[in-house]
Amino acid sequence: MSAEIISGTEMRAAILDELRVEVTKMKEQHGVVPGLVTILVGANPASLSYVTLKVKTALGLGFHEIQDDQPEDITEEALLQLIDKYNNDNSIHGILVQLPLPKHINEEKIINAIDPGKDVDGFHPVNLGRMVLGDRDGFLPCTPYGIQEMIIRSGTETSGAETVVVGRSNIVGKPISIMMGQKGEGANSTVTMVHTRTQDLEAHCKRADILIVAAGVPGLVKPEWIKAGATVIDVGVNRIGMSDSGKAILSGDVAFDEAKQIAGKITPVPGGVGPMTIAMLMKNTVKSAKKHIEKA
Ligand code: GUN
């Protein structure tokens, strides 16, 4: 039997429709529209394509959107000053600095400089700390937030389920491992986080009722590692070539065609987690604007 495909593209459309209603209401009742600045340093092709999509989505929702592109050789000091400017700009509720940054800039220093109340990426230590404490007042990091939302909206039972997370990055593996084990909706599961030093990756994957793969290695998870009926979330976005028209050919971390014959539900690449990350960025920005209204 073929797995149900969890479409991130369809879920994103539903979430954006929900947000559009909120944005309209906010504008009518308070005269405020969510404000988002996206800062791209340099012209990394993958980053440029992500930022372009974020900007397009924000504009489509009627946000006040500033696309602030900076040259590759901007100094760390100048970037810190730019962040300070947006920290103090009342029309901006969300600040996103696209990662990775050039090597001469300390990423940690830049993330730490963003006002935690405008850190809609959820990367600031204050927001990560709040997430660990289960405090829903902060911002959840967008990719894990999107993964959890997909799991909930797909109707997957998480309570008591064995969740295995492949990868331990600060952006995905680490936060989603914590989120899936917490109390609450779309959580309460028993979590194992595996990584490059794990001895028997296959054995762990085979136990998973929910398998979340964020390793960045195309085809890492073999079809025979998947438990029959499992929900498989593939976070990998690997550029494995270029089409004749110059578009990147993407592949996930899971051998999709074979895996979908075994899994119960599975996300495709592209069209899975990627669109959800953007939807959750918009959701965080709307949440930030709402908090700004409440404080005013
Ligand atoms: N680079 C890869 N993913 C992300 C993301 O979610 N946010 C930012 N700012 N940079 C990224």
Side-chain angles (χ1 to χ4, degrees):
M1 215 175 73
S2 196
E4 181 186 323
I5 307 297
I6 307 175
S7 168
T9 313
E10 281 173 22
M11 285 186 187
R12 171 181 61 185
I15 292 167
L16 296 185
D17 282 346
E18 292 160 18
L19 291 176
R20 212 167 275 118
V21 174
E22 288 195 57
V23 172
T24 305
K25 219 192 281 173
M26 196 182 283
K27 196 171 171 183
E28 281 171 6
Q29 294 179 351
H30 304 281
V32 173
V33 290
L36 175 68
V37 59
T38 47
I39 301 173
L40 172 66
V41 178
N44 173 308
S47 293
L48 182 63
S49 93
Y50 292 139
V51 168
T52 305
L53 214 53
K54 288 170 186 177
V55 169
K56 198 174 145 203
T57 309
L59 291 172
L61 284 175
F63 285 13
H64 163 51
E65 161 68 42
I66 299 176
Q67 183 177 2
D68 195 336
D69 293 345
Q70 294 293 326
E72 179 87 20
D73 62 356
I74 185 174
T75 62
E76 188 177 274
E77 189 48 42
L79 189 54
L80 288 169
Q81 277 173 15
L82 193 64
I83 289 169
D84 190 54
K85 181 181 93 171
Y86 291 120
N87 279 343
N88 291 298
D89 181 340
N90 285 335
S91 71
I92 293 296
H93 309 107
I95 301 172
L96 178 137
V97 180
Q98 187 66 28
L99 304 178
L101 290 169
K103 293 220 168 3
H104 67 278
I105 297 174
N106 182 333
E107 263 179 23
E108 198 181 333
K109 212 163 157 184
I110 298 300
I111 290 169
N112 289 355
I114 298 171
D115 175 349
K118 296 189 179 188
D119 167 42
V120 286
D121 249 333
F123 290 167
H124 191 285
V126 165
N127 285 313
L128 288 174
R130 283 185 163 160
M131 181 273 289
V132 172
L133 295 170
D135 171 1
R136 283 267 165 173
D137 230 24
F139 298 111
L140 293 172
C142 302
T143 302
Y145 191 10
I147 292 170
Q148 193 174 41
E149 193 70 22
M150 288 184 108
I151 292 172
I152 294 171
R153 289 184 188 232
S154 71
T156 299
E157 178 59 79
T158 59
S159 185
E162 291 282 343
T163 293
V164 174
V165 178
V166 183
R168 55 178 162 183
S169 69
N170 286 341
I171 292 184
V172 187
K174 241 184 258 179
I176 193 65
S177 299
I178 294 164
M179 287 162 63
M180 293 305 294
Q182 271 166 337
K183 285 187 182 166
E185 192 190 10
N188 283 318
S189 67
T190 305
V191 182
T192 308
M193 184 173 70
V194 300
H195 46 74
T196 44
R197 298 294 173 95
T198 298
Q199 295 207 354
D200 194 346
L201 198 57
E202 178 176 349
H204 287 291
C205 291
K206 279 180 166 167
R207 276 193 298 106
D209 300 310
I210 300 170
L211 182 61
I212 301 169
V213 192
V217 181
L220 174 74
V221 170
K222 309 286 178 278
E224 61 273 21
W225 296 8
I226 293 167
K227 183 172 172 178
T231 291
V232 178
I233 310 288
D234 189 350
V235 194
V237 184
N238 305 296
R239 300 182 156 228
I240 55 164
M242 201 67 98
S243 73
D244 291 342
S245 59
K247 263 185 97 177
I249 301 170
L250 302 178
S251 160
D253 289 350
V254 179
F256 179 79
D257 289 336
E258 299 91 341
K260 78 169 194 286
Q261 303 305 324
I262 304 162
K265 302 173 201 269
I266 189 166
T267 62
V269 178
V273 175
M276 289 299 280
T277 298
I278 296 184
M280 302 330 268
L281 172 71
M282 301 301 137
K283 202 169 164 75
N284 274 346
T285 308
V286 170
K287 177 179 177 175
S288 182
K290 268 196 215 158
K291 281 170 51 155
H292 167 93
I293 291 166
E294 281 163 16
K295 263 201 288 180

